Amino acid sequence: MIANINARSTTSLDGQWQAIVDPYDVGAVDYRAQPLKSNGAFYKNYKPQSKSELVEYDFDSSGQLHVPGDWNTQRDSLLFYEGSVWYKRSFDYAKSPKKRVFVHFGAANYMAYVYLNGEELGQHEGGFTPFDFEITDRVRPEGNFLVLRVNNTRGKDQVPTVNTDWWNYGGITRPVTLVEVPETFIQDYLIQLEKGSTGQIKGWVQLNGPQLRQNVTIRIPEAGLSKSFQTDPAGHAEFSFGANLTLWSPENPKLYTVEISSETDQVTNHIGFRSIGVRGTDILLNGKPIFLRGVSIHEEAPLRSGRAWSEDDARTLLGWAKELGCNFVRLAHYPHNEAMLRMADEMGVMVWEEVPVYWTIQWENPVTLRNAENQLNELITRDHNRAALIIYSVANETPIGDARNRFLSQLIQQAHSNDPTRLVSAALQADEVEEGNRLSIRINDPIANELDVMGTNEYIGWYTRRVADLDSTDWTSKYDKPLVMSEFGADAVFGLHGDSQARWTEEYQESLYEHQIGMLKRITFLRGTTPWILKDFRSPRRTLPGIEDYLNRKGLVSDHGEKKKAFFVLQNFYRQLQNAN
Ligand code: GCB
């Protein structure tokens, strides 16, 4: 994967694409369920050569879908659709001499089968991470046609699996871009502060192409830095050097222009430098203890329905979080689009990113584990230069057991070894123990031993017990580690009023937040909160008519952007925390 394509010479393929809805995959397999190779295969984009020839598909008269975008919110008939849609887009491309060309996809949910000019380029599994294919020798000056079959059928062995509390939006949900690079190009690089240091930059550069041994220079003009290195025969160079930098923080999200140049290529990135670590139950940003004032966010557009993908979407969502007083967001439950991370870097919001290892997963299945590892890798590769990114979360509410423990342990090790500088967490669930007339909640999950930060989701006052019970609930942990309360919340319909005992009212939600905050203040090892959730979001599990209407209503903001009463309760708590610092 090519890192940071924003810094490249690119051509956008976004816009209207021709689209064929294919619920039975007739464009891919024949009536004996064998792969289609004839002109009947939709990726051939074949046209009848005479009036007698039978061809049963036609992209040009099949309607269009906008890319990027989920298909569910673009046509009423696709609202609940799960299956295949074929996309086609034609383009001309004048390739510069001695350059290589890649086609890059921000994401397509869930499987993507990609073809150029009637030939297969490859496949990608996983709905939320980027992928690219080289097309240097296949792209023509005129009349190219790029075809994708995107299939969002859920499967038990997938990541996520069949059961989730969010809408399974299908489609090419993020931008599609042609990227042109030199024959030997800078494929990826990591330029970050060394773990535990605020004055030492450590990282590597990786070249790709025929001329792998080169001089590479890292320049940070504003900091007066210029360092050169030689890559090894595999095109890799590691480096470490001292730097006197203004550190990135939410209060001062300083980004430097960093230039990485080799003899054949040059790229620029805006990079912030900060350290993140833990000491006992504290989380340290740039060496100082911090409290993560956060909120959970789904990747849904703030002011229209469907998947979010643009810079404007990111600005609005993170703007609401900042208005709440947040210095932190949890991007649940899968990798969000890259614009969110860039915006978080600029706006000074720390980020928890997550892979969709959610609820039940085939813990025993090695293919499922490889898939989860791959999604985690692609996420790390995409975002490892973002200062805002401080935590990787490897799972959400997964049931304790040997196979699950091994699975998560593998992901935790992988995150640590691929990116030693960031913290690793998971949203766990805790045990409830009655002690006299008080309730004790105990964090007791073997996987906590391997995490840097523990996350816990709890729904006291909504799914379990009553709101008043929060006043007599205490938390314990046998781990000397920080806790982020990664979820709590209640559903409320914006504008529905009643007393604080009445479900679905803003008053119920408001009261639950007040009592939750009372309880949270008593947890001595609590270092962050990301209540559930910033905005009402689509969920197929939420069927109650007139109330849910297929929306999870736990938003602090409604699906139309209206702030509920609980928004102001949380805002007030975060103001107190901010003033106490
Ligand atoms: C949870 C899940 C989240 C759900 C939420 C709810 O525990 O982690 O994905 O949406 O509860 O509203 O039930």
Side-chain angles (χ1 to χ4, degrees):
M1 209 171 77
I2 307 175
N4 192 32
I5 63 159
N6 292 37
R8 298 286 181 180
S9 158
T10 58
T11 307
S12 170
L13 293 183
D14 293 347
Q16 295 295 331
W17 288 48
Q18 301 303 133
I20 304 177
V21 179
D22 183 14
Y24 274 44
D25 282 322
V26 296
V29 288
D30 68 14
Y31 80 127
R32 299 286 186 229
Q34 296 306 308
L36 263 183
K37 296 258 177 341
S38 67
N39 289 333
F42 289 7
Y43 65 85
K44 304 265 191 191
N45 186 33
Y46 186 74
K47 303 281 180 198
Q49 304 296 302
S50 70
K51 65 181 179 188
S52 57
E53 190 173 0
L54 176 65
V55 179
E56 281 191 277
Y57 68 99
D58 180 31
F59 275 106
D60 298 328
S61 55
S62 288
Q64 297 184 325
L65 286 170
H66 193 268
V67 173
D70 63 88
W71 62 56
N72 311 77
T73 56
Q74 295 192 52
R75 277 188 208 169
D76 290 346
S77 61
L78 296 180
L79 183 65
F80 282 102
Y81 182 69
E82 295 185 299
S84 285
V85 171
W86 292 82
Y87 288 81
K88 191 208 114 204
R89 153 105 204 210
S90 302
F91 63 96
D92 299 334
Y93 193 78
K95 185 172 89 63
S96 318
K98 299 214 165 217
K99 294 280 177 168
R100 294 166 70 184
V101 187
F102 291 76
V103 56
H104 181 92
F105 300 89
N109 189 40
Y110 169 86
M111 285 295 307
Y113 305 84
V114 187
Y115 309 86
L116 181 68
N117 299 334
E119 285 174 27
E120 181 172 359
L121 293 177
Q123 313 181 353
H124 181 263
E125 177 166 8
F128 304 98
T129 43
F131 52 99
D132 51 39
F133 300 104
E134 181 158 12
I135 57 170
T136 309
D137 298 331
R138 301 180 193 240
V139 69
R140 307 169 186 153
E142 281 176 1
N144 296 285
F145 59 100
L146 182 62
V147 172
L148 266 81
R149 177 164 69 96
V150 180
N151 182 295
N152 72 335
T153 308
R154 286 167 291 133
K156 284 196 167 146
D157 58 342
Q158 295 178 358
V159 181
T161 183
V162 288
N163 204 13
T164 63
D165 186 24
W166 71 83
W167 204 261
N168 179 25
Y169 289 112
I172 307 177
T173 50
R174 297 186 191 157
V176 183
T177 316
L178 296 174
V179 187
E180 196 168 279
V181 294
E183 277 185 328
T184 301
F185 68 98
I186 299 164
Q187 181 181 332
D188 195 7
Y189 45 87
L190 176 73
I191 304 174
Q192 292 280 288
L193 287 174
E194 184 174 2
K195 176 114 198 135
S197 162
T198 50
Q200 189 74 15
I201 290 180
K202 191 173 165 152
W204 49 263
V205 173
Q206 179 64 51
L207 305 180
N208 179 315
Q211 197 186 324
L212 290 173
R213 277 189 81 97
Q214 295 196 24
N215 260 315
V216 170
T217 304
I218 313 284
R219 296 202 328 122
I220 311 179
E222 204 187 325
L225 283 167
S226 177
K227 302 277 171 190
S228 294
F229 312 90
Q230 178 81 36
T231 52
D232 66 16
H236 192 76
E238 307 223 340
F239 49 79
S240 174
F241 52 86
N244 185 7
L245 299 158
T246 301
L247 300 176
W248 184 97
S249 69
E251 294 72 36
N252 181 21
K254 169 74 190 158
L255 300 178
Y256 285 91
T257 299
V258 180
E259 295 165 15
I260 307 106
S261 50
S262 71
E263 293 157 36
T264 54
D265 193 13
Q266 197 205 331
V267 283
T268 303
N269 205 333
H270 301 289
I271 298 181
F273 297 93
R274 53 99 196 93
S275 77
I276 191 76
V278 292
R279 186 179 54 210
T281 57
D282 278 337
I283 299 176
L284 307 176
L285 175 71
N286 298 328
K288 294 193 204 81
I290 41 155
F291 189 91
L292 305 175
R293 306 185 307 269
V295 70
S296 295
I297 304 183
H298 257 298
E299 192 194 38
E300 280 207 2
L303 298 170
R304 47 167 217 281
S305 67
R307 278 262 171 263
W309 60 271
S310 70
E311 265 184 27
D312 281 349
D313 292 337
R315 196 174 294 112
T316 306
L317 291 167
L318 293 175
W320 284 339
K322 288 205 76 148
E323 205 180 325
L324 267 173
C326 293
N327 60 7
F328 180 61
V329 290
R330 172 186 181 211
L331 303 184
H333 280 301
Y334 40 76
H336 291 209
N337 63 86
E338 199 176 345
M340 264 318 247
L341 271 292
R342 291 182 186 283
M343 197 56 75
D345 256 11
E346 280 174 28
M347 291 174 71
V349 182
M350 294 176 280
V351 173
W352 154 314
E353 290 207 275
E354 193 163 323
V355 286
V357 176
Y358 182 91
W359 288 353
T360 55
I361 287 279
Q362 284 188 346
W363 308 114
E364 311 267 3
N365 186 339
V367 177
T368 302
L369 175 59
R370 270 205 300 283
N371 178 2
E373 286 172 347
N374 185 51
Q375 295 191 38
L376 179 59
N377 260 338
E378 289 174 339
L379 171 66
I380 295 174
T381 303
R382 192 191 70 180
D383 291 338
H384 59 187
N385 286 308
R386 301 281 73 83
L389 169 57
I390 58 165
I391 294 177
Y392 297 113
S393 172
V394 296
N396 181 76
E397 291 185 356
T398 52
I400 299 171
D402 288 347
R404 169 275 201 177
N405 300 349
R406 278 196 303 274
F407 191 109
L408 296 195
S409 181
Q410 196 57 40
L411 293 180
I412 296 165
Q413 281 172 36
Q414 190 196 330
H416 276 143
S417 75
N418 282 10
D419 183 351
T421 69
R422 292 188 172 79
L423 308 177
V424 178
S425 189
L428 311 171
Q429 285 169 299
D431 301 337
E432 291 188 1
V433 193
E434 303 250 13
E435 280 172 355
N437 52 9
R438 293 193 76 82
L439 178 66
S440 176
I441 313 242
R442 219 170 34 193
I443 303 174
N444 183 25
D445 184 328
I447 214 68
N449 285 309
E450 297 174 47
L451 301 173
D452 302 306
V453 174
M454 305 180 292
T456 301
N457 299 351
E458 52 89 3
Y459 280 90
I460 305 167
W462 187 255
Y463 295 124
T464 64
R465 306 192 181 254
R466 309 180 71 90
V467 171
D469 294 326
L470 288 157
D471 305 344
S472 52
T473 301
D474 304 305
W475 285 69
T476 62
S477 147
K478 57 183 177 184
Y479 312 96
D480 183 29
K481 298 193 178 197
L483 172 70
V484 169
M485 199 61 84
S486 38
E487 284 180 30
F488 64 86
D491 288 71
V493 179
F494 173 77
L496 185 68
H497 296 288
D499 67 57
S500 63
Q501 309 282 312
R503 292 258 175 186
W504 315 110
T505 62
E506 285 195 48
E507 286 70 18
Y508 189 114
Q509 190 191 37
E510 176 186 41
S511 152
L512 180 135
Y513 268 72
E514 283 162 354
H515 290 263
Q516 282 278 353
I517 288 167
M519 178 193 75
L520 294 169
K521 285 180 174 164
R522 294 194 300 275
I523 309 177
T524 55
F525 49 97
L526 185 76
R527 294 296 179 272
T529 46
T530 53
W532 196 254
I533 189 170
L534 182 63
K535 198 205 82 158
D536 292 353
F537 63 97
R538 289 265 156 215
S539 169
R541 302 172 62 84
R542 311 292 171 175
T543 62
L544 192 63
I547 298 286
E548 296 180 308
D549 298 318
Y550 298 99
L551 284 161
N552 182 314
R553 297 275 186 195
K554 293 192 187 69
L556 294 167
V557 173
S558 77
D559 52 326
H560 297 295
E562 300 127 329
K563 297 185 177 88
K564 304 179 195 173
K565 290 180 120 185
F567 183 98
F568 302 100
V569 178
L570 186 67
Q571 188 184 55
N572 192 30
F573 174 49
Y574 283 169
R575 279 195 185 139
Q576 284 169 24
L577 286 171
Q578 219 170 340
N579 293 339
N581 273 326

